[in-house]
């Protein structure tokens, strides 16, 4: 019940116009310096995601001056269907692989919020199976592409409630925000609204990414 309330609150917040940012329309990238690939949360409105994607992309644009950034909104349902995260996993990997082949000098920043964090986790080889709105891994970024992923920015990551985290080659390039009491990422957490407050971490996420690009 607590999880459903949290997801419902997320949907309602979008309708209330939580945040207003001026960001470019998310499109498949041309050969920019850095492609910011964003997997939004369950039912999250906005261009890249009103709570995380849009404010993080805006913060990255302000922080990474002199770099040409593009954005891509992972194409997946972001709903409660059993295959939603898996569809996002496949689309993210397909997009990055395609961009990597077409743009040899392009680097990537991966951003995932809530269910979108599951999508990113799976794509870098950390299974979200068993987590809230998670899924088994259906695709992973190949080893040849991994060094071109400059940073991984995760928010309200459901695998953390299982006691898991990003390990392996991406660990040093990952920052994983979990607000105190957030029931989606904190086992036993009881503050539903904590899951909706990650806009406040956009600047810190951009600061972290800037140390990795």
């Amino acid at each position: 019940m607590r999880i459903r309330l949290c997801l419902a609150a997320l949907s309602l917040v979008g309708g209330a116009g939580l945040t207003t940012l001026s960001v470019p329309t998310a499109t498949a990238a041309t050969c920019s310096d850095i492609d910011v690939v964003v997997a939004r949360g369950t039912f999250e409105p906005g261009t890249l995601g009103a709570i995380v994607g849009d404010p993080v992309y805006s913060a990255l644009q302000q922080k990474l001056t002199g770099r040409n950034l593009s954005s891509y909104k992972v194409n997946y349902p972001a709903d409660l269907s059993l295959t939603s995260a898996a569809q996002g996993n496949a689309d993210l990997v397909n997009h990055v692989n395609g961009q990597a082949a077409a743009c040899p000098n392009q680097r990537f920043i991966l951003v995932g919020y809530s269910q979108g964090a599951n999508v990113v986790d799976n794509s870098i080889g950390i299974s979200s199976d068993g987590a809230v709105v998670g899924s088994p891994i259906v695709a992973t970024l190949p080893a040849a592409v991994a060094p071109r992923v400059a940073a991984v920015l995760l928010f309200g990551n459901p695998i953390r409630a299982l006691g898991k985290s990003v390990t392996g080659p991406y660990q040093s390039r990952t920052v994983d925000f979990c607000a105190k009491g957030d029931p989606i990422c904190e086992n036993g957490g009881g503050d539903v609204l904590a899951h909706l407050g990650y806009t406040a971490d956009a600047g810190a996420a951009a600061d972290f990414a800037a140390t990795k690009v």
Side-chain angles (χ1 to χ4, degrees):
M1 176 63 72
R2 182 177 296 158
I3 290 167
R4 289 188 177 276
L5 283 172
C6 189
L7 296 173
L10 178 57
S11 180
L12 290 172
V13 164
L18 173 69
T19 204
T20 302
L21 290 166
S22 181
V23 296
T25 301
T27 59
T30 56
C31 291
S32 61
D33 295 327
I34 301 170
D35 190 24
V36 182
V37 181
V38 182
R40 69 197 188 281
T42 305
F43 304 135
E44 186 184 12
T47 303
L48 298 170
I51 292 173
V52 167
D54 291 343
V56 167
Y57 187 63
S58 180
L60 287 168
Q61 287 179 307
Q62 294 174 40
K63 189 71 178 179
L64 301 178
T65 55
R67 305 293 183 96
N68 179 22
L69 270 60
S70 57
S71 63
Y72 179 76
K73 180 179 181 178
V74 174
N75 182 16
Y76 85 114
D79 61 18
L80 299 178
S81 62
L82 294 178
T83 62
S84 178
Q87 291 179 63
N89 175 193
D91 185 73
L92 187 155
V93 171
N94 286 340
H95 171 75
V96 172
N97 282 342
Q99 286 299 124
C103 305
N105 296 318
Q106 190 173 59
R107 300 183 74 194
F108 303 92
I109 294 175
L110 308 183
V111 181
Y113 167 48
S114 194
Q115 183 175 176
N118 287 336
V119 168
V120 174
D121 291 332
N122 283 8
S123 300
I124 61 175
I126 310 296
S127 177
S128 67
D129 193 21
V132 175
V133 288
S135 79
I137 294 171
V138 297
T140 55
L141 295 172
V145 172
R148 293 170 60 181
V149 177
V152 178
L153 313 178
L154 303 174
F155 304 80
N157 188 357
I159 70 168
R160 291 188 53 167
L162 302 178
K164 297 176 64 176
S165 62
V166 173
T167 56
Y170 292 94
Q171 184 174 8
S172 65
R173 289 172 274 166
T174 298
V175 63
D176 192 343
F177 296 92
C178 180
K180 182 174 177 57
D182 180 350
I184 301 300
C185 60
E186 181 184 293
N187 186 22
D191 184 358
V192 171
L193 293 180
H195 192 63
L196 306 178
Y198 291 104
T199 300
D201 296 308
D207 288 344
F208 174 84
T211 69
K212 302 298 180 181
V213 298

